[in-house]
Amino acid sequence: MTVLSGAGLAEEDWLSSAILLDGYARTTAALARDLDESPATPVQSAEVTGFLHPLLSERDFPVLAAMPAARQYADSSPEPDISYGLDRILDGLEARIAGGTGAQ
């Protein structure tokens, strides 16, 4: 909070930013915990692709249908997704601070 409060944002903005970061961290941790503790057997990508591809194709979602078919989003660590989300949040905060919107 020290960093956010000294970033040149209005108090309301830096508090909202802290809540945003806290919410992202808590939600990400809860999802990871739930996945780790789940008794369910993980579904294999091939099974998911076989199920989703026809549904997405027939409902006119060609971009989404192509992703699993091309194996662009196969089973992998969630870390790249977590980093991507955090990077977008931090990019937004950086832009907000640089733009001076809401600065004291």
Side-chain angles (χ1 to χ4, degrees):
M1 289 190 55
T2 302
V3 171
L4 287 172
S5 66
L9 294 172
E11 184 174 300
E12 181 179 319
D13 288 343
W14 69 258
L15 284 172
S16 293
S17 298
I19 292 168
L20 173 65
L21 289 165
D22 178 72
Y24 187 75
R26 288 176 187 268
T27 301
T28 301
L31 178 59
R33 183 194 62 239
D34 291 348
L35 290 173
D36 287 344
E37 294 177 0
S38 174
T41 303
V43 176
Q44 299 302 311
S45 291
E47 295 170 2
V48 173
T49 299
F51 172 76
L52 284 179
H53 188 268
L55 290 174
L56 293 170
S57 295
E58 73 186 32
R59 295 194 173 134
D60 201 27
F61 294 103
V63 174
L64 290 177
M67 286 177 65
R71 302 191 65 68
Q72 293 175 357
Y73 205 75
D75 291 335
S76 64
S77 167
E79 289 178 22
D81 294 331
I82 294 167
S83 293
Y84 180 85
L86 182 58
D87 287 346
R88 298 301 69 81
I89 291 171
L90 295 176
D91 288 347
L93 291 174
E94 182 180 43
R96 178 83 172 180
I97 292 165
T101 307
Q104 296 175 348

